[in-house]
């Protein structure tokens, strides 16, 4: 039976304007970093994507090397588009990125024009698309002139292969410089994608102000701190968890001090009738300058539970003050080499 999207899909979702652009994003978007690679059953990812769209999630975020293996998340999403979502293409915001390692040799990573534009062509082929809505420079390249990297984004937009340009894990200074280079070429910086969570608050001192100044939006990735801000690690490190698999969360980060913070935050969540993950999402999007938060999902049930964070009441001043006692930098920012480069 062919897929038919829920007719009530826009009734409950909150949509926020991206900076000073005309584009709105759902307050929670779906990232395909994990669980959509060739190592996972196709029907699992398909079910998650369909349910997300039925619940008003219109934004699906990818990158060239999401998998494993590299490229396979885009292949999976291309199949989902072909099987289910193609009739709704104009209701979707699809993004991809290039910047990290993708193929061997000197042209397979970082920020050169050759790499970025070649990667975008490959991504479009894998997904069966004529264009993506947002194309990102996935990280700052200290050895390539920023003019070249931003010039590649401009070309992608001018060629009709992307509608908007974005950056990810850029410092405030480099974000401001990138925005000026793009603006001078007639292609505004739409959005910045930084890591951000209750345990990784690097964007607060300056980056959010910078984005407001240049008119760009912000979409936070890893709002659950690579899984730390869930109930999974409240009682230690379970076998089979992300931390034991050597993925994006090292057991070295699960210190007694960090776990104590997580348990204290969990008690605040319980007092609000939320799970820890729901509290983390409510907190991440509390600032209106944060357009959206990116979540992953390993099941439809987990997706639904996390999206339920949007139904929670706003955090009170007293709750925010209590959270601030425990929501402190915890040494988990894996992307600092890019975001601290000036």
């Amino acid at each position: 039976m062919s897929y038919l999207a829920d007719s009530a899909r826009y009734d409950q979702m909150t949509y926020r304007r991206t900076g000073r652009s005309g584009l709105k994003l759902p307050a929670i978007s779906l990232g395909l970093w994990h669980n959509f690679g060739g190592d996972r059953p196709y029907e699992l990812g398909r079910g998650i994507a369909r349910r997300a769209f039925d619940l008003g999630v219109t934004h699906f975020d990818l990158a060239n090397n999401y998998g494993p293996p590299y490229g396979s998340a885009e292949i999976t999403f291309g199949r989902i588009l072909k099987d289910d979502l193609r009739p709704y293409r104009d209701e979707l915001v699809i993004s991809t990125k290039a910047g990290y390692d993708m193929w061997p040799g000197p042209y397979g990573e970082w920020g050169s024009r050759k790499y970025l534009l070649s990667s975008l062509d490959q991504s479009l082929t894998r997904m069966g698309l004529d264009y993506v809505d947002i194309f990102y420079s996935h990280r700052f390249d200290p050895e390539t002139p920023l003019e070249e990297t931003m010039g590649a984004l401009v070309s992608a937009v001018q060629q009709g292969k992307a509608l908007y340009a974005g950056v990810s894990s850029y410092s405030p200074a480099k974000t401001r410089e990138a925005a000026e280079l793009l603006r001078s070429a007639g292609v505004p910086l739409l959005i910045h994608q930084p890591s951000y969570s209750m345990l990784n608050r690097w964007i607060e001192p300056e980056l959010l102000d910078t984005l407001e100044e240049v008119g760009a939006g912000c979409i936070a990735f890893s709002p659950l701190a690579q899984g730390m801000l869930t109930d999974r690690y409240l009682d230690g490190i379970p076998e089979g968890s992300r931390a034991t698999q050597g993925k994006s969360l090292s057991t070295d980060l699960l210190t007694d001090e960090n776990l104590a913070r997580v348990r204290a935050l969990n008690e605040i969540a319980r007092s609000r009738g939320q799970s820890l993950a729901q509290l983390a999402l409510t907190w991440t999007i509390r600032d209106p300058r944060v357009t959206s938060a990116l979540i992953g999902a390993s099941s439809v049930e987990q997706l639904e539970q996390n999206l339920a964070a949007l139904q929670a009441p706003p955090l009170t001043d007293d709750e925010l003050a209590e959270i601030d006692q425990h929501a402190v930098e915890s040494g988990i920012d894996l992307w600092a080499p890019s975001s601290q480069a000036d």
Side-chain angles (χ1 to χ4, degrees), residues 61-316:
D61 180 74
L62 298 106
N64 57 356
N65 63 353
Y66 286 177
Y70 287 173
S72 60
E74 290 182 329
I75 292 172
T76 296
F77 189 68
R79 285 186 64 188
I80 295 168
L81 279 170
K82 183 175 181 290
D83 290 345
D84 302 312
L85 296 179
R86 179 71 63 182
Y88 306 98
R89 173 64 183 98
D90 291 337
E91 298 180 43
L92 305 177
V93 175
I94 302 169
S95 60
T96 195
K97 317 175 197 72
Y100 285 94
D101 59 301
M102 181 60 191
W103 62 81
Y107 317 122
E109 67 174 320
W110 292 106
S112 72
R113 177 181 182 85
K114 179 171 178 61
Y115 170 53
L116 265 62
L117 294 181
S118 297
S119 178
L120 178 55
D121 284 343
Q122 293 180 19
S123 292
L124 294 175
T125 298
R126 282 190 288 268
M127 291 187 281
L129 292 172
D130 296 322
Y131 71 93
V132 292
D133 296 274
I134 308 170
F135 183 47
Y136 287 91
S137 167
H138 205 168
R139 62 170 165 173
F140 173 68
D141 181 352
E143 296 187 356
T144 296
L146 194 56
E147 292 85 351
E148 179 176 342
T149 302
M150 293 304 105
L153 298 185
V154 169
S155 291
V157 172
Q158 291 176 340
Q159 293 169 8
K161 296 177 181 179
L163 300 186
Y164 299 96
V167 298
S168 179
S169 299
Y170 274 50
S171 70
K174 289 303 177 185
T175 298
R176 191 176 294 108
E177 187 179 343
E180 177 56 30
L181 288 167
L182 291 169
R183 187 198 62 77
S184 65
V187 177
L189 175 64
L190 174 79
I191 197 165
H192 187 299
Q193 187 175 132
S195 61
Y196 181 50
S197 71
M198 290 194 289
L199 302 179
N200 175 19
R201 302 179 64 167
W202 75 272
I203 72 172
E204 292 176 8
E206 189 178 353
L207 182 62
L208 284 174
D209 288 342
T210 298
L211 296 177
E212 186 173 32
E213 174 189 322
V214 303
C218 175
I219 181 165
F221 76 87
S222 203
L224 305 185
Q226 295 96 268
M228 284 180 65
L229 293 171
T230 69
D231 60 7
R232 174 155 285 201
Y233 301 103
L234 293 175
D235 299 315
I237 305 174
E239 191 61 37
S241 64
R242 189 185 300 187
T244 64
Q245 296 175 31
K247 292 185 177 179
S248 56
L249 178 62
S250 167
T251 54
D252 294 341
L253 302 177
L254 296 169
T255 63
D256 290 343
E257 188 176 19
N258 279 346
L259 290 176
R261 293 167 180 153
V262 168
R263 294 184 185 109
L265 292 168
N266 184 60
E267 289 304 310
I268 299 172
R270 289 179 58 185
S271 71
R272 285 174 49 84
Q274 288 186 293
S275 69
L276 177 55
Q278 289 169 342
L279 173 66
L281 290 168
T282 299
W283 182 91
T284 297
I285 60 174
R286 74 198 185 285
D287 189 317
R289 295 173 297 181
V290 177
T291 314
S292 183
L294 274 169
I295 61 167
S298 59
S299 66
V300 168
E301 180 184 18
Q302 187 184 72
L303 171 79
E304 293 173 341
Q305 290 173 351
N306 287 342
L307 288 175
L310 297 174
Q311 309 307 316
L315 291 160
T316 67

